[in-house]
Every structure is written in structure tokens, then in C-alpha cells.
Amino acid sequence: MIRDAIKSAQIEAMKAGDKDRLAAVRLILAKIKDRDIELRTASSTPDDDAVVVDVLQKMVKQRRESISMYEQGGRTELAAREQAELDVIETFLPRQLSEEETKAAIEAIKAETGAESVKDMGKVMAVLKERHGTVIDMSKASGLVKAALG
């Protein structure tokens, strides 16, 4: 489980005295705990790894946006710190599908659902997220689905 890997990484970082990695791992664990608290009131509890991956993907997206804003503002030291956090977060994410693999999955879903035009994009995206949501960057997949249906 990803959650266990993150907890063991926290212990390793403490033993190694790697303060930057430890801070990033603690941040990840805090975000996961926040999500756990949110899900207490939910009627159905999703798979644990899916929850953790969702949290990590959101953190990655936030870091990438922050890095671009810091670089535009000339704050390279802050961009470097965000990049260091991003590198730690990405070590816990499962391997993402390549663009070719993503296109193949889209084509399979498109054939399966009978999608032919952009009007069917929501249907294809829903199936894609259900099956491959943890290993695909859905923002990039959106553009690929649109291109495949256009």
C-alpha cells in the first residue's frame, strides 16, 4: 500500500536526518489525514490507494502551478523548494501511462462505448477515470480524448 510506503519513508528520513525530505513526507501525510477526515462522513469509502493517489495527484498539480508562478515572478529559490517537494511526492505515485498507452486506452474505450463525436466526451472521460484514474493525468487525457473524438 502506498500509505505504508509513505510512513516508512518518514521513518527513513528521520533516521537519515534528511530534513527537507522529512518535511515533504510529513506534508503528504497531513494531506492524507485531512482527506481521511473528510471521508468519515461519506456514505461509501473508496479504495485506500485510490484516495492516496488522488491526494498526491492534487499535490503534484499544485506544486507545478506554484513552480510556474514562482519562475514567472523571478523567485527561483521558492521554485526550487517547490520542485524538491514535487520530486518527493512523485516518488510515491504509481507509474503514469505514457501518451501512447493513454491514446490506446482512449481508443479502446471509444470503440467500447460507441463514442463518435465531442458530444460523447463525458462518457469516455468517465470510463477513463474509472479504469485508469490513478495512472493517467486527467487534464492531459482530456485534450487527448477531445482530439480522438474531434
Side-chain angles (χ1 to χ4, degrees), residues 21-127:
R21 183 171 174 80
L22 179 61
V25 171
R26 283 183 172 159
L27 186 64
I28 293 168
L29 288 169
K31 292 287 186 185
I32 292 171
K33 188 164 182 101
D34 287 347
R35 178 61 62 86
D36 289 343
I37 292 168
E38 288 174 23
L39 291 175
R40 283 185 193 160
T41 59
S43 57
S44 65
T45 307
D47 176 45
D48 186 56
D49 275 355
V51 170
V52 173
V53 168
D54 185 50
V55 169
L56 293 174
Q57 286 176 334
K58 286 181 181 174
M59 291 178 76
V60 165
K61 182 179 178 191
Q62 289 170 341
R63 296 306 172 287
R64 287 188 177 138
E65 290 171 356
S66 296
I67 289 168
S68 68
M69 285 193 293
Y70 287 143
E71 287 173 348
Q72 288 172 1
R75 302 292 307 264
T76 55
E77 70 284 351
L78 293 174
R81 190 169 72 201
E82 290 287 323
Q83 183 62 50
E85 283 183 10
L86 177 63
D87 293 341
V88 172
I89 295 166
E90 286 180 334
T91 61
F92 299 110
L93 279 171
R95 185 189 75 79
Q96 300 290 295
L97 293 182
S98 68
E99 189 169 330
E100 294 78 31
E101 293 169 319
T102 303
K103 285 179 180 178
I106 290 168
E107 288 301 320
I109 292 169
K110 186 175 140 184
E112 182 183 314
T113 59
E116 297 176 0
S117 68
V118 180
K119 291 179 185 177
D120 301 318
M121 186 170 169
K123 191 184 332 177
V124 174
M125 287 296 291
V127 175

